[in-house]
Amino acid sequence: LKNQATMNWPKINELSRFVLDPTIRGDVHTLVKFFRKRIPCSCLDKKYEEVKSITKMGMCYNPDCPIPCAYVERSKTMYCSRCRCVTYCSRECQKADWTTHKIHCEKCAALIEFYSRTII
């Protein structure tokens, strides 16, 4: 497991879950920061100042994760070292999810390899 991702698909997935399902407590800090960088005005500056002290949260992709809602502090999450497309809260969760993730991992790693060779 690595602590850095090449593409941040987990963050994008977390944001989409937060936007699509308001019952899921998402990472408001990341949500505001995400839109603040993409909206060319200062309308979110005040809101960002309010939420920037909120701890950034990440999601464990093991569906059987023992942590409630599988949300953990983002600094404690670990990326799959092969594809870097999913995060886990622990090595145990990664091992438990490997049978399911392995299929997607191979495809994702192949795509990353392809694009890293073709995009300069």
Side-chain angles (χ1 to χ4, degrees):
L1 294 175
K2 302 238 184 211
N3 288 331
Q4 294 294 320
T6 53
M7 296 183 299
N8 209 336
W9 290 112
K11 184 189 290 187
I12 293 167
N13 187 36
E14 288 170 34
L15 288 174
S16 65
R17 284 182 64 192
F18 179 72
V19 171
L20 297 174
D21 187 350
T23 62
I24 298 173
R25 188 190 180 285
D27 180 359
V28 178
H29 178 269
T30 302
L31 186 65
V32 172
K33 186 176 179 181
F34 180 85
F35 286 114
R36 183 174 173 241
K37 285 183 177 181
R38 288 156 181 82
I39 297 173
C41 71
S42 59
C43 58
L44 287 174
D45 291 347
K46 184 178 177 185
K47 185 64 176 175
Y48 180 71
E49 288 301 316
E50 293 173 19
V51 300
K52 73 179 183 181
S53 62
I54 295 174
T55 303
K56 294 178 185 177
M57 301 300 286
M59 187 177 76
C60 179
Y61 276 72
N62 177 8
D64 299 319
C65 179
I67 296 172
C69 298
Y71 277 101
V72 294
E73 244 183 88
R74 189 176 313 145
S75 62
K76 295 179 181 171
T77 60
M78 295 165 277
Y79 290 90
C80 169
S81 59
R82 183 165 187 226
C83 70
R84 296 187 180 162
C85 291
V86 296
T87 56
Y88 296 100
C89 66
S90 67
R91 181 83 172 148
E92 292 76 25
C93 273
Q94 183 203 24
K95 286 181 180 181
D97 189 47
W98 178 243
T99 334
T100 306
H101 173 63
K102 181 169 51 172
I103 299 161
H104 305 290
C105 184
E106 292 171 5
K107 291 176 184 176
C108 190
L111 282 173
I112 290 169
E113 177 65 26
F114 173 76
Y115 286 115
S116 66
R117 285 182 293 164
T118 57
I119 299 174
I120 297 175

